[in-house]
Amino acid sequence: MRRRRALVVAATGLVVGLGAAGTAVAAGTGSGVAGTPCSATAKACVDLESQQAWLMKGGKVTYGPVDVATGGHGTETPTGDFAVYDKDRDHHSAEFDGAPMPWSVFFAPGGIAFHEGDRDSGSAGCVKLRNQDATVFFGKLAHGDRVEVR
């Protein structure tokens, strides 16, 4: 009887252990980048819920998270997958009376960009960064790089 109980306990432990190991392996094989809501193919990632952004390369975070300010009610930052299509170190908004948008990296239709700006207020859809972060994003992102906004 003792031997049978010992075998049942050992078998149960083995099954539970294998199940946990299988779960760990499955979690590690996903296409997402740990700590972000974005895929391994993204070069830049924005999480609207946490108001954070990252730079990534080869499925690894290389910079961030950094705090951002995104679009407000009625001027939401668009979600989806985009590509960097233009950069302008000293951009001024044509829409908003020439408002400065230094270190602009444009990635979504309608002139949506990463740029330096006041993070204490929402934007008109752009992703505003503090100066140091904006210069890093400007320097590291290139035309065609994938930007994911979630």
Side-chain angles (χ1 to χ4, degrees), residues 89-116:
R89 184 176 172 177
D90 190 30
H91 188 76
H92 288 80
S93 173
E95 248 181 276
F96 296 100
D97 300 322
M101 295 171 54
W103 308 108
S104 289
V105 178
F106 296 92
F107 62 86
I112 304 299
F114 292 107
H115 65 83
E116 178 187 340

Side-chain angles (χ1 to χ4, degrees), residues 114-130:
F114 292 107
H115 65 83
E116 178 187 340
D118 176 14
R119 291 174 303 111
D120 291 330
S121 62
S123 74
C126 288
V127 178
K128 297 192 299 185
L129 304 153
R130 65 186 176 130

Side-chain angles (χ1 to χ4, degrees), residues 41-136:
T41 59
K43 294 290 180 102
C45 174
V46 178
D47 183 357
L48 297 176
E49 185 176 337
S50 70
Q51 291 290 283
Q52 293 183 316
W54 300 260
L55 290 175
M56 303 182 305
K57 184 174 184 181
K60 306 265 188 218
V61 172
T62 59
Y63 189 77
V66 299
D67 294 328
V68 300
T70 57
H73 183 68
T75 58
E76 290 84 1
T77 301
T79 58
D81 302 336
F82 306 97
V84 172
Y85 66 86
D86 197 13
K87 293 170 65 172
D88 186 349
R89 184 176 172 177
D90 190 30
H91 188 76
H92 288 80
S93 173
E95 248 181 276
F96 296 100
D97 300 322
M101 295 171 54
W103 308 108
S104 289
V105 178
F106 296 92
F107 62 86
I112 304 299
F114 292 107
H115 65 83
E116 178 187 340
D118 176 14
R119 291 174 303 111
D120 291 330
S121 62
S123 74
C126 288
V127 178
K128 297 192 299 185
L129 304 153
R130 65 186 176 130
N131 176 269
Q132 176 185 334
D133 300 330
T135 61
V136 172

